[in-house]
Amino acid sequence: MPGMQDGVSGWLSVVACAIAAVPAWLRWLRVAQREHYLANETSRFALRWWTSSPLNWLGGIIACTGLAVAPRWPTGALATAAVAAVAPLGLGVRGRSSPLVWTRRLQTLALVSVVFGLALVALGAAFGRAPAAAAAVVLAAPVVVDLACRATAPLERRLAERFIYKAADKLRRVAPKVVAITGSYGKTSTKGALAHLASSSFFLLASPASYNNRAGLARTINEHLTPG
């Protein structure tokens, strides 16, 4: 049977996928963090990027073709690894507006998603298809990250509850005028501009950086909001 019985070429393909998984995982973890760890959002974002330009379409076709032939010819996984390491083009690992920040929550998400990925590769290896499984995992990194988001959501809600309740109680006691800014893009920039304009007339507190989700807002309130 082909697959890992091809020996050296099979294991080289697995190693190549493992190396490619590092930038791929960092890219999609950053997206998950930016999208506030909502399940399915990373995959939705990935689909949008893979179909955003002819070059990304071509890269996606090459990566999927490599994955499709990998069960029979393990070296096909090399094509998938090469594409997944650098694509989709235009979506950097570091990001310009929202760089990756290694918070406790992101570290937990990274650990769980890597465990999921290793489990899938181990399952593939048990059937003699480790190169194909490794290629599938590196290409489907957004899906694996979304699965990890879903798996860790109950724990994160439980950890955040007491801080959110504390922040809600403090808001009731201090009773400030609250301005909420929503949208897909530009929230942080709009918040900064508005805070700058309003600071000449009001005492105000703006959440720092991109602390835009419930946990970030709760932390801002608990640590910085005071009467007046």
Side-chain angles (χ1 to χ4, degrees), residues 32-198:
Q33 185 176 61
R34 182 183 163 216
E35 298 299 309
H36 308 303
Y37 306 100
L38 296 174
N40 302 324
E41 286 301 299
T42 305
S43 298
R44 184 180 64 82
F45 200 88
L47 180 62
R48 189 163 73 224
W49 270 93
W50 279 113
T51 58
S52 64
S53 71
L55 276 178
N56 282 331
W57 266 105
L58 178 61
I61 291 170
I62 293 172
C64 290
T65 302
L67 173 59
V69 304
R72 186 170 182 83
W73 296 289
T75 50
L78 295 174
T80 305
V83 172
V86 298
L89 300 177
L91 182 63
V93 172
R94 303 180 71 175
R96 288 172 291 181
S97 60
S98 54
L100 191 68
V101 181
W102 284 100
T103 61
R104 193 277 315 157
R105 182 169 187 175
L106 186 70
Q107 292 174 32
T108 302
L109 181 66
L111 177 61
V112 172
S113 61
V114 168
V115 168
F116 282 178
L118 290 175
L120 292 171
V121 174
L123 182 63
F127 289 93
R129 294 291 185 265
V137 167
V138 73
L139 184 59
V143 177
V144 178
V145 169
D146 272 338
L147 290 174
C149 284
R150 190 174 295 279
T152 57
L155 170 65
E156 296 298 339
R157 279 196 298 268
R158 189 171 185 84
L159 291 174
E161 271 179 1
R162 62 191 181 99
F163 298 108
I164 291 171
Y165 290 151
K166 181 180 177 182
D169 180 65
K170 196 170 188 180
L171 273 179
R172 283 191 293 269
R173 287 187 287 106
V174 177
K177 185 183 295 293
V178 178
V179 177
I181 300 169
T182 67
S184 299
Y185 301 96
K187 294 183 294 294
T188 301
S189 299
T190 303
K191 174 185 65 181
L194 183 58
H196 176 73
L197 291 171

Side-chain angles (χ1 to χ4, degrees), residues 20 22-32 83-88 91-93:
V22 175
W25 234 264
L26 291 175
R27 180 181 295 110
W28 300 118
L29 285 171
R30 183 179 71 82
V31 170
V83 172
V86 298
L91 182 63
V93 172

